[in-house]
Amino acid sequence: MALALVSVLLVAALAAALYLLQTRGALGRRLADARDAAAKLESRLAATTAERDELAGKVDRLTAANSHVADDVERQRRRADELALQLEAASAERAAAPAAGSGQPVDADGLWDLLLAHITRRWASVVGVPPANRHMATGPSDQIAQALAREAERLREEVGVDVELTAAAPIEPADRVPFLLAAVELLGALASSAERVTVGLDGHLVLEGDGWVDMSGEVRAARDRAVAAGAEVDLAEPGPEQIRLEVMA
């Protein structure tokens, strides 16, 4: 009787042990699955965090770029308004010239000096040249070359575009004020719409823009204003991302 009871107890203990082993194995597998799921979640969290940080960086860069573009647009708008007023004033002076004998004479030299001083002051304020070093060249051809060189340097500093100027031969336009105003206006329009601008003086003025994209038509508008002011501007048929203009002396 006692032996039977012991046998029953041993069987029960063995069954309980087997049950515990099975339960422990199942719990172990569940624990391993949970750890594996946690590792995968941690990996996904790390990837999501990295993606979020990357997107945040892009947002910051785009915000800064948008602010820079907005500032540049505002500067170009002010420049266009300013030069438009100058062109209008020059046109008015030209229209009044035939009647100068009966009224106050038009001081062409004074108007020219005023334009040169304006270009010099804008250049000096951007580049940082003190008044003592803002000397003017003598002679119209040298003054034109100097003014265009200063405008090119100003645009390089203020707009950040690559502008290259070469002067192979002096140029003396018949009507220097509209010529220089047209040159400055067209150069500014190209600088705001091209990646690289070349300026050549060789009996006439040649302006070329590479990497040129002008969705708003600023260059053509500048050319129309220059022609209306009395300048002779030839606009070649633009190619893919390229444009070429000639301002005749």
Side-chain angles (χ1 to χ4, degrees):
M1 183 69 178
L3 182 59
L5 181 59
V6 170
S7 298
V8 171
L9 291 175
L10 286 174
V11 171
L14 181 60
L18 290 174
Y19 175 77
L20 289 174
L21 286 174
Q22 291 176 348
T23 302
R24 181 179 179 181
L27 290 174
R29 288 190 297 273
R30 291 174 61 185
L31 177 60
D33 292 342
R35 287 175 176 172
D36 184 56
K40 291 180 179 178
L41 288 174
E42 287 179 358
S43 178
R44 290 176 58 187
L45 177 61
T48 302
T49 301
E51 184 178 0
R52 182 205 62 191
D53 293 342
E54 182 181 358
L55 289 174
K58 288 182 179 179
V59 169
D60 292 340
R61 289 193 296 272
L62 289 173
T63 301
N66 182 66
S67 177
H68 176 74
V69 169
D71 292 342
D72 185 58
V73 168
E74 180 61 21
R75 284 196 303 270
Q76 295 299 326
R77 185 192 63 78
R78 290 197 301 266
R79 179 187 60 78
D81 292 343
E82 187 176 276
L83 289 176
L85 289 174
Q86 293 177 13
L87 285 168
E88 185 177 342
S91 299
E93 292 289 356
R94 286 169 55 84
S102 58
Q104 292 184 348
V106 176
D107 187 354
D109 290 336
L111 185 62
W112 177 247
D113 291 340
L114 185 64
L115 175 57
L116 292 178
H118 174 73
I119 293 174
T120 297
R121 186 175 64 255
R122 289 202 310 168
W123 159 75
S125 65
V126 171
V127 180
V129 180
N133 296 333
R134 302 177 189 178
H135 68 280
M136 298 280 194
T138 57
S141 60
D142 290 338
Q143 289 171 341
I144 288 173
Q146 182 187 57
L148 289 176
R150 288 175 171 177
E151 187 68 8
E153 185 177 8
R154 182 188 72 82
L155 290 170
R156 280 195 295 266
E157 292 293 327
E158 187 174 24
V159 182
V161 68
D162 180 14
V163 184
E164 180 182 352
L165 173 68
T166 58
I171 183 170
E172 293 190 15
D175 202 341
R176 55 192 174 178
V177 172
F179 176 86
L180 184 54
L181 278 170
V184 171
E185 173 72 353
L186 292 169
L187 180 55
L190 277 177
S192 65
S193 58
E195 296 177 357
R196 183 174 182 270
V197 179
T198 57
V199 184
L201 287 171
D202 188 8
H204 58 285
L205 175 67
V206 177
L207 299 167
E208 295 181 317
D210 294 321
W212 174 71
V213 178
D214 188 12
M215 301 297 292
S216 61
E218 184 177 359
V219 172
R220 288 183 175 82
R223 187 251 183 187
D224 292 341
R225 287 194 293 268
V227 171
E232 184 180 352
V233 183
D234 181 24
L235 173 60
E237 185 64 27
E241 299 187 357
Q242 289 183 326
I243 190 170
R244 186 178 191 273
L245 302 106
E246 292 186 27
V247 184
M248 305 304 175

